[in-house]
């Protein structure tokens, strides 16, 4: 346990990371991957490649049997991971193993039942011990989040929230008060999944959110290409989160691990590169 | 949200942020129209003329003689489309119309809710799309056809366990994507607030009628009210008429599947634990980590690993009692009612009938008055039952 706590101390906070990246004149690139997809060890190697490819932070999904906010791609990844034997214990072990090779911020994307079953306080305690910086529960709106936010704060973990086009300015204020680390801006009306273009409405969305909060804004859902990343960064977002497009690479290359890892690293490098737009 | 939607600690709004504004809009509309004279007049008209309310409270003489109790059947099976589901789909369909929604989506297990939504959509001229697990599409071919003939589009769901739970996941995804135009017509007392409260409201007509009818026939309240529980809408409807009458035993009968001691069961309250699924905190069948298990019951309508949050509340507060009946026992209930009364119950309702027999046979219950909610008719299950009995149709 002590060793883990030492690891936690070495991690970079979201605040430090956003400042570091901004000082370089770049946007933040956050890849998403489901812990244990397609299996524990391969998944860990994938994360390593993401870091080598230039990830500024990581978003790690704990697999859930019924992920209603996610599309087909993430659901398939969840099922692959669960079938490969992932449990919440193993997910935390997974984070600890990531901490052996990187200090960049790690955020969890979970469904609330996983937190609830473990015991809210214990979940955040374990998250801290394994080296997690932030937790976003996809199906936990501010209405139900009081206890979780309290537990998160107690353990020095940033509670991260979603904000969407449908979120009114009034709600946005409420969400921003509970949220720290960054605000996860949902760019589309829909579930996660790669889409061919970024809608102009997401540009307007970033602008609207920017006028209501000082939190770093990271745009996700539907972002799949370097052009999309460049576009949302140009629109004023601090970062972009890419999941399904990367998971597609995993799914398409399950038979050849070397190719899989090379392609993930290459894709991440391209996506990171797209954040380096000259203002 | 205006109200918290909590029953004790159960219920709530555990949904992705994108859904919240739609729930707010729905709650507002529901609170406004549930007491609106014009809305209620229109709803009453449809309930009476289209659905066939009020339904009878039928004294099952033969069964009563056999079991040594007074057994009354609340005949929701006599409604248009053959089940209580129409009460709720008419209510929500009308609400959707008042809200200006141009598309209805629904999920269905056995098909009863899908059909009830399809006919309401046809009648109200609102296009309907119904998500249905591909395994249920196979099991309930006749009902798929009935939905399609009313103009609804049936969308088979191939993910996960390919049953009701996964159909609900897909319906939620659809709703997240099309939230401005679409009303998600949830068929039972589950889901995020305001659904459990709203569905109970539209189903409470069962309990109101039953209460009045039993007082007319017996001059007193029943000793017990028994109903099957999948998501829990017909049970909530019946129970709502007697919730404040502590002397009335409220008994919910879950799909025990192959037995609550096995892994093949749908008995969420009897075997499950507290958890969050599909928008509310209630009881769910899950593993230690909170991964949702697949439910199992001979009846597709009871094959759901969750249950409405108000039932979780009634369970933990002790106001209602929840029991499980196995597939085998349910089939016996099916035969019993068919043979003694000439009424063929849905397999869901057969669970309630089977437990009524058990209840009546307990020495302390001799001579008691029991209302059994006959939530639906058994036509849809004939092929399945015949197969179980070794017959080929």
């Amino acid at each position: 346990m002590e060793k883990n706590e030492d690891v936690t101390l070495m991690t970079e906070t979201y605040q430090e990371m956003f400042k570091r990246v901004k000082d370089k004149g770049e946007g933040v690139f956050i890849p998403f991957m489901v812990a244990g997809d397609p299996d524990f060890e391969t998944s860990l190697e994938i994360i390593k490649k993401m870091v080598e490819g230039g990830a500024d932070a990581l978003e790690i999904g704990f697999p859930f049997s019924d992920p209603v906010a996610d599309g087909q791609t993430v659901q398939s990844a969840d099922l692959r991971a669960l079938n490969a034997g992932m449990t919440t214990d193993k997910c935390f072990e997974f984070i600890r193993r990531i901490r052996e090779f990187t200090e960049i911020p790690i955020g969890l994307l979970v469904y609330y039942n996983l937190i609830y079953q473990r015991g809210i306080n214990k979940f955040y305690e374990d998250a801290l011990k394994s080296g997690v910086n932030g937790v976003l529960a996809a199906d936990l709106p501010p209405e139900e989040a009081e206890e979780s936010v309290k537990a998160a704060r107690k353990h020095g973990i940033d509670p991260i929230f979603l904000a969407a086009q449908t979120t009114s300015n009034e709600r946005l204020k409420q969400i921003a008060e509970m949220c720290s680390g960054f605000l996860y801006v949902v760019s589309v009306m829909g579930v996660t999944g790669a889409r061919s273009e970024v809608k102009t409405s997401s540009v307007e969305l970033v602008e609207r959110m920017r006028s209501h909060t000082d939190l770093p804004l990271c745009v996700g859902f539907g972002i799949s290409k370097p052009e999309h990343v460049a576009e949302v960064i140009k629109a004023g977002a601090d970062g972009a989160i890419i999941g399904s497009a990367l998971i597609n690479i995993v799914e398409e290359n399950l038979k050849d691990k070397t190719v899989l890892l090379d392609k993930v690293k290459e894709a991440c490098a391209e996506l990171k590169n797209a954040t380096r737009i000259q203002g | 949200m205006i109200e918290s939607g909590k029953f004790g600690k159960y219920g709530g709004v555990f949904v992705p942020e994108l859904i919240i504004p739609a729930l707010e809009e729905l709650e507002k509309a529901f609170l406004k129209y549930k007491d609106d004279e014009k809305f209620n007049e229109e709803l009453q008209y449809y309930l009476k003329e289209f659905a066939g309310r009020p339904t009878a409270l039928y004294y099952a003489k033969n069964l009563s003689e056999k079991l040594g109790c007074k057994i009354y059947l609340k005949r929701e099976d006599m409604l248009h489309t053959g089940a209580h589901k129409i009460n709720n789909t008419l209510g929500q369909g009308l609400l959707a119309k008042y809200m200006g929604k141009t598309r209805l989506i629904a999920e269905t297990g056995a098909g009863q809710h899908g059909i009830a939504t399809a006919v309401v959509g046809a009648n109200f001229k609102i296009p309907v799309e119904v998500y249905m697990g591909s395994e249920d599409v196979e099991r309930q071919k006749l009902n798929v056809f009935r939905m399609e003939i009313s103009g609804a589009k049936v969308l088979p769901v191939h993910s996960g366990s390919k049953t009701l739970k996964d159909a609900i996941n897909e319906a939620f995804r659809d709703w997240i994507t099309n939230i401005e135009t679409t009303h998600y017509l949830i068929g039972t007392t589950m889901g995020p607030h305001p659904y459990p409260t709203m569905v109970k409201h539209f189903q409470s007509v069962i309990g109101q009628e039953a209460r009045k009818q039993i007082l007319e026939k017996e001059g007193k309240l029943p000793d017990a009210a028994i109903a099957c529980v999948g998501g829990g809408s017909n049970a909530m409807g019946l129970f709502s008429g007697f919730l404040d009458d502590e002397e009335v035993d409220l008994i919910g009968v879950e799909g025990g599947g192959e037995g609550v001691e096995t892994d093949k069961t749908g008995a969420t309250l009897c075997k499950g634990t507290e958890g969050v699924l599909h928008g509310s905190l209630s009881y769910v069948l899950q593993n230690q980590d909170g991964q949702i298990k697949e439910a199992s019951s001979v009846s597709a309508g009871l094959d759901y690993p969750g249950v409405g949050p108000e039932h979780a509340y009634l369970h933990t507060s002790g106001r209602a009692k929840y029991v499980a009946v196995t597939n085998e026992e349910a089939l016996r209930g099916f035969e019993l009612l068919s043979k003694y009364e000439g009424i063929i119950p849905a397999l869901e309702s057969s669970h309630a009938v089977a437990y009524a027999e058990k209840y009546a046979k307990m020495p302390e219950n001799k001579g008691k008055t029991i209302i059994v909610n006959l939530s639906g008719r058994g036509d849809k299950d004939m092929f399945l039952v015949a197969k179980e009995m070794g017959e080929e149709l």
Side-chain angles (χ1 to χ4, degrees), chain B residues 41-69:
Chain B
E41 240 172 56
E42 206 173 336
L43 180 58
Q44 287 314 316
Y45 168 80
Y46 283 108
L47 285 173
K48 181 168 176 248
E49 307 290 341
F50 185 70
R53 298 214 74 90
T55 60
L57 184 71
Y58 174 73
Y59 178 60
K61 183 165 162 277
N62 302 335
L63 195 61
S64 296
E65 276 169 14
K66 179 173 162 58
L67 300 179
C69 270

Side-chain angles (χ1 to χ4, degrees), chain B residues 178-220:
Chain B
N178 301 294
I179 218 141
E180 285 189 5
T181 57
T182 302
H183 175 64
Y184 177 15
L185 211 162
I186 291 183
T188 188
T189 51
M190 51 139 271
H193 175 66
Y195 284 99
T197 301
M198 180 169 67
V199 176
K200 176 191 178 183
H201 174 79
F202 290 132
Q203 291 294 2
S204 64
V205 62
I206 302 173
Q208 284 164 18
E209 284 179 12
R211 192 173 203 284
K212 195 168 151 243
Q213 288 164 324
I214 197 77
L215 286 173
E216 277 167 11
K217 287 173 198 272
E218 289 287 325
K220 66 176 181 76

Side-chain angles (χ1 to χ4, degrees), chain A residues 63-68 70 75 82 87-88 112-114 116-117 138-139 141 144 162 166-167 171 188-190, chain B residues 6 12-18 20-21 159 165 169 173 176-177 179 274-276 281 286 288-292:
Chain A
F64 183 53
S65 54
D66 295 82
V68 292
D70 286 295
Q75 182 172 24
L82 289 173
T87 59
T88 305
Y112 185 58
N113 201 37
L114 301 186
Y116 192 79
Q117 290 317 313
D139 55 350
E144 307 287 354
L162 295 169
T166 48
T167 307
R171 270 187 81 73
V188 294
M189 287 308 296
Chain B
K6 293 280 167 75
V13 282
F14 295 88
V15 293
E17 175 62 26
L18 279 83
I20 294 279
S159 59
K165 157 177 98 84
N169 291 340
R173 289 177 182 132
I176 291 174
T177 312
I179 218 141
E274 262 177 31
V276 174
L281 173 63
Q286 60 187 330
Q288 215 182 343
D289 274 353
Q291 305 292 349
I292 309 304

Side-chain angles (χ1 to χ4, degrees), chain B residues 229-299:
Chain B
V229 176
S233 73
N234 88 84
M236 216 55 241
L238 179 68
F239 290 179
S240 68
F242 306 100
L243 276 177
D244 297 331
D245 307 302
E246 290 289 338
E247 68 272 29
V248 181
D249 288 343
L250 306 177
I251 303 169
V253 187
E254 297 193 298
E258 293 179 13
V260 284
E261 69 287 354
T262 72
D263 252 354
K264 295 199 158 179
T265 182
T268 309
L269 288 164
C270 293
K271 205 191 178 180
T273 47
E274 262 177 31
V276 174
L277 173 67
H278 294 144
S280 58
L281 173 63
S282 182
Y283 269 59
V284 284
L285 294 171
Q286 60 187 330
N287 72 12
Q288 215 182 343
D289 274 353
Q291 305 292 349
I292 309 304
K293 286 185 181 172
E294 290 173 16
S296 170
S297 167
V298 66
S299 152

Side-chain angles (χ1 to χ4, degrees), chain A residues 125-140:
Chain A
E125 191 186 320
D126 291 342
L128 172 70
K129 283 182 182 166
S130 61
V132 166
N133 299 76
V135 174
L136 166 60
D139 55 350
L140 191 68

